[in-house]
Amino acid sequence: MSDEKSFHMTTDEFRRYGHAVVDWIADYHSRIESFPVLSQVKPGEIRAALPKNPPAQGEPFESLLKDVDRLILPGVTHWQSPNFFAYFPCNASGPGILGDLVSSGLGVQGMLWSTSPACTELETQVMDWLVEMLNLPEKFLSSKSGGGVIQDTASSAALCALLAARERATNYSSNKKGCSGLLVAYASTQTHSSLEKAAMIAGIGIENLRLIEVDDNFAMKPEALARQIEADKQAGLTPCFVCATVGTTSSNAMDPVGAIGEICRRHDLWLHVDAAMSGTAMLCPEFRHLQNGVELADSYNFNPHKWMFTNFDCNCFWVADRKALIQTLSILPEYLRNQATESGAVIDYRDWHIQLGRRFRSLKLWFVIRHYGVEGLRHHVREHVRLAQEFAEWVRKDDRFELAAPAPLNLVCFRLRGGDAANQDAVNQSIMDRLNRSGDLFLTHTKLKGKLTLRLCVGQTNTQARHVEKAWKRIREEAEKVTAAA
Ligand SMILES: Cc1ncc(COP(=O)(O)O)c(C=O)c1O
């Protein structure tokens, strides 16, 4: 059989090219500061440079890597650049990338315990470790009533939480009969848009997702939530779910989880806590007060793929009552039946999320946690917070600028003062556009109280003091140019 024709890469070739790829990645990371952070290409430019038709014959691997440099890199926005301050981070690290590579190498599809016991059991263990690392309530442990599962994103976690809440509130009848249109869910005006999407998909309907008003610091007003729930009940509706956010996307506002949780208990509503980015800060005891009351949550999630050095995608989602989640999402067709499942002694994570198939994501998380240890993770999180706080202090001390929201952790919302509202917005937009066009750094914006606001988030793996200092220098330079020209 050895002379059978094959187009496959041989093991020796794989070894050789694999080393070349790891070298390429290491080189990329060491020269990353030489690229403009935000890709400067125009729409269609990358596609136009690609061949119109697929190759009829295979090509040498060397030319693939060359084309990554030539054709792909110009169209990459460098999320791993230490000068990336936009959105929320999506950071990565050596151990995370290598863990992902091992996962690709194993090529496991872990839908059932039996399709790779290690894929399930490592995940359970790592999720239990994280309960301890983040000081989450014990009820989230797999040894208690709950348990954790790795999802692709916080959006999927929110959808799963909402589905479980919907089923719990309807005694598991919505799955059978569909939704009545009477169920109501609650979030704040600042909650991430994924909740609206979840309400659409879960059959709640966005008109039945109440966006509760926020206070001056952009945190949900619990008394407004309580009033709305009462009004909905009086109108014959069925409140079922509340999402509280620890660190909103727009301004990193902290909803008062404890007060919201008390209201949920009183009305028997499912409380989901979305700590997509800021959950990582809970590694450090000094930040945990930001989610006081988390013991009242029915579900909780955070994204190690945002701020915990674990490359995309990796969301950690816990529930206090795994039975509610499993009863909501479990279907067992004949072709998936197996002895381990029937024994009831194992977890089949396919029942814990939307899709059936699943990657071995816990490997990269395990690599990250073991490489850094709790000590190393805390060190870098504290350093990012320290740098952001220093930046906030520079803004505070410069009369030309103002802070637009409290900065509890690593996100600073700020703007240049002055002019009427429209003019001020235009000036700040112009500063941001000029900075982003320069390629020196990448910032994004939001609107707070109707005003355009610049956001600087410190969370990229290799961001150091010199990068934040340079960002502040460049921001002031562009502000001077824009105001001089006005
Ligand atoms: C608070 C919050 N929730 C949810 C999300 C959605 O994250 P994902 O891309 O993992 O769905 C984000 C993204 O930035 C977020 O900031």
Side-chain angles (χ1 to χ4, degrees):
M1 296 294 260
S2 59
D3 55 356
E4 208 173 83
K5 187 172 170 72
S6 169
F7 294 90
H8 295 308
M9 191 178 269
T10 66
T11 305
D12 281 346
E13 285 169 338
F14 178 78
R15 196 184 304 282
R16 194 163 74 246
Y17 298 137
H19 287 153
V21 167
V22 170
D23 281 344
W24 186 92
I25 297 172
D27 289 344
Y28 168 66
H29 283 271
S30 43
R31 64 193 169 125
I32 201 163
E33 287 185 56
S34 67
F35 300 109
V37 187
L38 177 66
S39 169
Q40 309 282 312
V41 297
K42 299 200 173 44
E45 209 173 311
I46 298 298
R47 246 193 112 180
L50 295 169
K52 195 155 169 285
N53 303 109
Q57 269 85 43
E59 301 178 53
F61 192 83
E62 289 84 353
S63 62
L64 297 185
L65 259 192
K66 273 196 200 120
D67 282 353
V68 173
D69 275 315
R70 195 171 63 90
L71 300 173
I72 303 301
L73 272 188
V76 169
T77 288
H78 300 279
W79 284 74
Q80 304 314 318
S81 165
N83 297 310
F84 184 101
F85 300 104
Y87 307 109
F88 277 162
C90 185
N91 67 18
S93 65
I97 295 166
L98 293 176
D100 215 15
L101 185 58
V102 174
S103 168
S104 292
L106 289 173
V108 154
Q109 202 277 60
M111 59 188 173
L112 301 166
W113 176 89
S114 60
T115 62
S116 257
C119 180
T120 295
E121 295 194 13
L122 181 65
E123 185 160 330
T124 307
Q125 192 65 11
V126 168
M127 293 299 286
D128 277 358
W129 278 2
L130 279 163
V131 169
E132 186 183 318
M133 289 164 67
L134 304 176
N135 198 34
L136 293 174
E138 282 198 349
K139 63 184 178 181
F140 289 149
L141 288 170
S142 63
S143 53
K144 306 282 183 196
S145 57
V149 57
I150 299 180
Q151 305 261 350
D152 52 4
T153 59
S155 305
S156 297
L159 175 59
C160 290
L162 183 55
L163 290 170
R166 181 192 80 183
E167 289 310 299
R168 194 177 76 173
T170 58
N171 204 16
Y172 300 89
S173 72
S174 315
N175 263 348
K176 294 193 191 100
K177 297 182 180 156
C179 292
S180 63
L182 298 177
L183 291 170
V184 191
Y186 304 81
S188 90
T189 56
Q190 301 295 305
T191 303
H192 190 265
S193 56
S194 51
L195 262 294
E196 283 180 60
K197 209 180 237 187
M200 282 155 52
I201 300 169
I204 303 291
I206 32 181
E207 285 181 12
N208 292 325
L209 175 68
R210 308 274 189 253
L211 299 183
I212 304 298
E213 65 182 292
V214 294
D215 64 17
D216 254 9
N217 293 334
F218 309 100
M220 190 194 287
K221 282 184 174 173
E223 60 285 5
L225 172 68
R227 269 199 308 275
Q228 186 64 53
I229 293 170
E230 295 289 356
D232 287 332
K233 278 187 155 175
Q234 287 203 346
L237 300 173
T238 310
C240 68
F241 171 93
V242 179
C243 175
T245 306
V246 174
T248 59
T249 319
S250 199
S251 71
N252 218 7
M254 303 288 163
D255 286 341
V257 176
I260 294 170
E262 293 299 342
I263 295 166
C264 291
R265 282 294 147 271
R266 222 165 39 241
H267 294 280
D268 195 21
L269 308 188
W270 184 291
L271 173 62
H272 176 61
V273 174
D274 178 10
M277 181 189 67
S278 300
T280 295
M282 305 310 150
L283 288 162
C284 309
E286 66 271 30
F287 301 132
R288 290 178 187 157
H289 66 94
L290 295 170
Q291 63 178 30
N292 276 350
V294 69
E295 65 282 358
L296 297 171
D298 293 287
S299 54
Y300 181 96
N301 85 110
F302 89 112
N303 280 343
H305 73 223
K306 279 189 160 55
W307 193 17
M308 214 181 83
F309 314 109
T310 309
N311 37 306
F312 194 87
D313 50 4
C314 186
N315 167 272
C316 293
F317 174 58
W318 289 270
V319 286
D321 174 13
R322 62 180 172 270
K323 285 203 187 99
L325 182 69
I326 292 170
Q327 203 172 332
T328 299
L329 295 175
S330 160
I331 297 176
L332 183 56
E334 185 55 36
Y335 46 79
L336 293 181
R337 283 188 186 278
N338 66 87
Q339 272 182 4
T341 297
E342 312 272 318
S343 77
V346 300
I347 291 175
D348 289 324
Y349 276 125
R350 74 188 180 93
D351 294 331
W352 295 54
H353 50 50
I354 309 296
Q355 80 282 9
L356 170 64
R358 59 198 330 270
R359 305 183 59 223
F360 199 163
R361 289 197 189 87
S362 56
L363 269 175
K364 61 184 170 190
L365 200 47
W366 191 48
F367 273 36
V368 166
I369 296 170
R370 290 186 63 188
H371 170 86
Y372 286 92
V374 175
E375 181 194 20
L377 294 171
R378 279 182 181 163
H379 169 82
H380 289 288
V381 166
R382 285 181 176 136
E383 192 55 13
H384 286 159
V385 174
R386 187 185 71 74
L387 293 174
Q389 294 302 319
E390 208 165 21
F391 181 87
E393 196 51 33
W394 298 333
V395 173
R396 226 176 262 125
K397 284 191 175 142
D398 189 325
D399 293 343
R400 293 167 300 171
F401 289 87
E402 62 188 1
L403 287 175
L409 292 167
N410 58 336
L411 175 72
V412 184
C413 294
F414 67 103
R415 60 175 93 89
L416 193 72
R417 293 179 197 267
D420 58 29
N423 184 46
Q424 193 185 10
D425 279 7
V427 164
N428 279 287
Q429 178 79 48
S430 173
I431 295 170
M432 183 177 77
D433 291 345
R434 292 170 68 105
L435 288 166
N436 292 345
R437 265 200 310 270
S438 79
D440 292 344
L441 67 156
F442 181 26
L443 291 182
T444 49
H445 76 284
T446 187
K447 277 218 162 161
L448 294 175
K449 298 184 182 153
K451 286 188 176 184
L452 192 125
T453 303
L454 306 181
R455 299 164 72 267
L456 180 132
C457 192
V458 183
Q460 205 293 314
T461 311
N462 295 309
T463 300
Q464 297 166 4
R466 69 182 169 91
H467 302 106
V468 183
E469 282 159 15
K470 190 182 88 182
W472 180 228
K473 179 169 164 285
R474 292 288 296 111
I475 290 164
R476 282 177 302 157
E477 278 170 10
E478 293 303 337
E480 271 157 31
K481 284 185 205 155
V482 170
T483 42

